[in-house]
Amino acid sequence: MTAVPMLEAWDETEGTRRARALFAETFDGAPDGVWSAPGRVNLIGEHTDYNGGLCLPIALEHRTFVALRRRPDDRVHLVSEREGSSWQTALADVAPGAVSGWGAYPAGVAWALDQLGHPTGGFDAAVVSCVPYGAGLSSSAALECAFAMAFTAAPGWAGPDPGTDAGRAALAAACVRAENEIAGANTGGMDQAASLRSRAGRALLLDTRDGHVEHIPFDLTEAGLELLVIDTRAEHALVDGQYAQRRATCEAAAAALEVPTLREITPSGLDAALAQLDGDEPRRRVRHVVTEIARVEQFVDLLRAGRLREVGPLMDASHTSLAGDYEVSAAELDVAVRAARQAGALGARMTGGGFGGSAIALVPAGASPAVAEAVTGAFAAEGFTAPVFLVATAGPPAH
Ligand code: GLA
């Protein structure tokens, strides 16, 4: 039996070295600096962020590194280790609906900061990353947030101050605008908050009703646990219609219930709210959102009480609700979650937007290789592409 490999994160030195090397090879000379930002996994609170709800992500140790140098003109020239071709534009041409491709994320952040009164000039930049791509681990937020840091810190450029949480919240909002208005994905904001506002060793309790955050101790080692991330390799795309449809259904339900967002529906008011809605589908979507927000509160209560080992059933219930009521799971995610539990996980669930992407499993310390082995076996039996694994700890935010 060969051990299943775990995808290791690059350390700061390695990421910086790679970014500088790609920069030098492409543009000649040295960048003004290197900035980086992490991907994330969400512990619980899925599809709640665009409903004014609560979510609880951690930043991964896996990060995207950007080596950037200002240009005297307004050209943007980007290269990435992952993309076959370079991406170029003039900043003046960046506007909603006007640019596409991976460069729309960084160029969109420059556009959003300009809208806030913080113009950048043109730039050359080289991007390298060890955040798995298209895996539901927020590689796009990591890309946006690494550039957001560069745009505020490159010599002569300024913006919201990343030395304060308020500044980071403003940067996260600019990254969300870039993603919603320039890249065209109508996502909710959890990912950018996780990448910019998290702390090492803490889970980020984000209240999307008012943007308030709390840093909740999340020490897996102390609890004798590990968090195994399973990238199912099943394709997931947020720009496709399903995510937007879920969001539209929730917004229509909130309008029908005459509340600003579904956050205003409490668990005790749920039955009455459901009775006011027409149709089974909106009812199931609303039930997911309201029960999921309550699960975040229960999860946080357990963390605060030092009872991390007891959160498993909440993770399981979250998955059941996402698969059944919200219908955003996928066969690969269901198999991953089931196999992980059978192999001894205390709890497991899909994480992120769904329709593919990744699952997380909370496992006893040292059990990750055996659980990964079991999930790999279950995937082979189903004829699925082999999954990829990493072990997550709560890492530091963008810097
Ligand atoms: C994606 C989006 C987030 C959030 C999750 C679901 O990751 O980018 O804003 O809505 O899906 O919780």
Side-chain angles (χ1 to χ4, degrees):
M1 204 164 67
T2 47
V4 178
M6 298 284 163
L7 193 71
E8 299 290 337
W10 301 335
D11 65 15
E12 190 73 25
T13 315
E14 174 70 359
T16 304
R17 186 191 64 71
R18 286 176 181 249
R20 283 182 180 276
L22 181 61
F23 187 94
E25 185 182 303
T26 316
F27 302 112
D28 279 340
D32 292 331
V34 178
W35 293 270
S36 71
R40 61 98 189 92
V41 286
N42 187 21
L43 299 174
I44 198 155
E46 220 63 83
H47 288 276
T48 54
D49 65 345
Y50 51 82
N51 286 303
L54 302 171
C55 51
L56 192 70
I58 59 170
L60 292 173
E61 301 280 354
H62 298 69
R63 301 173 78 89
T64 294
F65 294 80
V66 171
L68 177 142
R69 186 171 63 202
R70 293 152 305 146
R71 290 175 59 112
D73 54 20
D74 102 318
R75 299 290 307 169
V76 171
H77 187 174
L78 308 174
V79 288
S80 156
E81 214 172 34
R82 279 189 180 149
E83 308 285 340
S85 53
S86 69
W87 194 94
Q88 300 195 40
T89 190
L91 273 181
D93 294 339
V94 181
V99 289
S100 60
W102 70 275
Y105 293 87
V109 177
W111 171 86
L113 287 172
D114 182 48
Q115 300 281 307
L116 276 181
H118 301 295
T120 68
F123 49 91
D124 293 329
V127 178
V128 300
S129 181
C130 63
V131 182
Y133 186 68
L137 300 175
S138 291
S139 58
S140 40
L143 180 64
E144 293 153 11
C145 297
F147 272 94
M149 297 303 280
F151 294 151
T152 59
W157 289 353
D161 177 9
T164 65
D165 183 63
R168 284 175 177 258
L171 286 173
C175 292
V176 173
R177 280 197 75 184
E179 185 153 331
N180 291 173
E181 296 176 45
I182 303 295
N186 201 19
T187 52
M190 164 174 72
D191 309 339
Q192 295 78 7
S195 190
L196 283 159
R197 301 174 73 191
S198 291
R199 291 200 188 144
R202 300 278 191 278
L204 184 79
L205 175 59
L206 171 65
D207 187 334
T208 63
R209 179 157 55 184
D210 57 8
H212 180 78
V213 295
E214 274 181 72
H215 302 277
I216 314 291
F218 185 68
D219 190 337
L220 291 158
T221 310
E222 188 187 76
L225 297 171
E226 283 171 3
L227 189 67
L228 178 67
V229 179
I230 306 158
D231 170 8
T232 64
R233 307 309 292 157
E235 206 171 314
H236 97 129
L238 289 181
V239 195
D240 84 359
Q242 291 288 334
Y243 183 93
Q245 247 181 45
R246 294 299 180 282
R247 189 167 178 161
T249 302
C250 290
E251 285 167 0
L257 296 167
E258 296 178 6
V259 288
T261 65
L262 294 179
R263 174 65 179 283
E264 305 312 317
I265 312 298
T266 58
S268 60
L270 179 58
D271 285 344
L274 296 183
Q276 283 180 60
L277 292 171
D278 282 330
D280 179 54
E281 192 180 289
R283 286 195 195 108
R284 284 188 289 122
R285 305 296 189 248
V286 171
R287 186 166 58 199
H288 165 72
V289 172
V290 174
T291 59
E292 183 77 354
I293 293 169
R295 282 187 287 274
V296 178
E297 287 173 332
Q298 292 160 25
F299 196 115
V300 168
D301 286 346
L302 287 173
L303 290 187
R304 286 205 169 105
R307 292 161 62 192
L308 174 50
R309 293 188 73 88
E310 293 169 49
V311 302
L314 291 169
M315 296 172 73
D316 294 345
S318 171
H319 188 82
T320 302
S321 178
L322 286 158
D325 276 349
Y326 219 65
E327 294 182 280
V328 291
S329 190
E332 290 87 345
L333 288 166
D334 294 341
V335 168
V337 159
R338 204 179 317 125
R341 284 184 202 137
Q342 277 166 5
L346 279 59
R349 58 181 290 275
M350 55 160 277
T351 187
F355 311 107
S358 294
I360 52 174
L362 191 66
V363 307
S368 288
V371 175
E373 191 78 50
V375 173
T376 302
F379 270 49
E382 296 283 345
F384 297 156
T385 305
V388 173
F389 302 90
L390 59 95
V391 176
T393 50
H399 61 77

